[in-house]
Amino acid sequence: MRVGVVIFPGSNCDRDAMWAVERAGAEPVELWHADADLKGADAVILPGGFSYGDYLRPGAIARFARVMGPLERFAREGGPVLGICNGFQVLCEAHLLPGALLQNRGLRFVCRRVRVRVERADTPWTAACEMGEELTLPVAHNEGNYFADPATLARLEEEGRVVLRYLENPNGSASDIAGVCSEDRNVVGMMPHPERASDPLLGSEDGLGILCSVLAGVRA
């Protein structure tokens, strides 16, 4: 299985993501931001970092990178896409996911482990998890405060599109939302970093299930 990992200028979690993908049993594939080519990837991850230095606002410039053209087509055709942290911000800017990520409520960068609950196990990125399962995952962000208008929040809840929910909200996110999915459920964005909890040496393997979920789905 080939899992593409997009590399933007300023990405700093791409190597972590590729290492975790390999540990999950897949072949990681580098996808350079300036190349309009997904190189035959079966799934794509947009990793964390500070794409293009977070100029204007996080994800605002990355959304127009050449690689985003084929990625958006891939997503709209049902391909599994995961945005982690800055990748989540990019997906919101590209309108592949609803809402926006605002500055943390405390106006400080947050870097710690938090507990989240799996709200949906019917996405390609959570299929190996159990609904209600609690995971402890690292967060590291300054703009992770999920915001959407009341109508959008209500729709996300009604349609079961809140994928992860904070049990200890670190950033002020509306409705304790840590991750959401698209209408077709194949595109998922989350602020916590599953790749940083994918080996006992990192203190936890709680995040490995996220990656193994999509691999199982692709193999099927």
Side-chain angles (χ1 to χ4, degrees):
M1 299 297 104
R2 292 166 60 83
V3 178
V5 178
V6 178
I7 304 174
F8 298 108
S11 295
N12 64 10
C13 299
D14 46 296
R15 298 296 167 185
D16 304 44
M18 286 189 281
W19 183 87
V21 163
E22 189 170 22
R23 188 167 189 279
E27 177 189 354
V29 180
E30 293 186 8
L31 303 178
W32 187 238
H33 70 108
D35 295 335
D37 183 5
L38 299 187
K39 300 180 180 178
D42 301 298
V44 178
I45 295 174
L46 285 78
F50 303 90
S51 57
Y52 296 92
D54 277 355
Y55 289 114
L56 300 182
R57 62 183 178 273
I61 298 177
R63 177 259 180 277
F64 294 102
R66 290 192 67 198
V67 74
M68 291 299 294
L71 185 143
E72 289 179 29
R73 288 192 295 273
F74 178 75
R76 297 191 193 285
E77 292 170 0
V81 177
L82 174 65
I84 303 170
C85 196
N86 188 229
F88 186 7
Q89 296 162 339
V90 174
L91 292 176
C92 289
E93 289 285 342
H95 306 296
L96 291 173
L97 291 174
L101 285 306
L102 307 182
Q103 189 169 20
N104 296 342
R105 179 174 53 193
L107 305 182
R108 292 178 180 272
F109 188 91
V110 175
C111 184
R112 60 185 174 92
R113 297 185 182 204
V114 298
R115 292 188 304 127
V116 299
R117 183 175 61 237
V118 177
E119 299 287 76
R120 305 297 304 189
D122 56 355
T123 80
W125 300 97
T126 55
C129 303
E130 299 286 337
M131 282 187 63
E133 182 179 356
E134 294 185 13
L135 307 174
T136 299
L137 301 173
V139 294
H141 55 253
N142 190 58
E143 290 90 4
N145 180 357
Y146 185 78
F147 171 84
D149 62 81
T152 298
L153 290 173
R155 187 168 67 252
L156 289 173
E157 298 288 358
E158 291 168 3
E159 296 175 357
R161 291 169 56 194
V162 177
V163 176
L164 295 179
R165 201 181 304 270
Y166 294 115
L167 296 177
E168 36 193 62
N169 191 331
N171 51 36
S173 287
S175 303
D176 298 323
I177 290 174
V180 299
C181 68
S182 61
E183 290 184 8
D184 293 331
R185 318 195 78 76
N186 59 301
V187 180
V188 171
M190 60 181 65
M191 288 310 296
H193 287 264
E195 80 283 5
R196 295 185 183 179
S198 57
D199 190 283
L201 292 174
L202 299 174
S204 172
E205 289 185 297
D206 280 8
L208 198 57
I210 302 292
L211 301 172
C212 289
S213 291
V214 75
L215 299 184
V218 171
R219 291 190 182 105

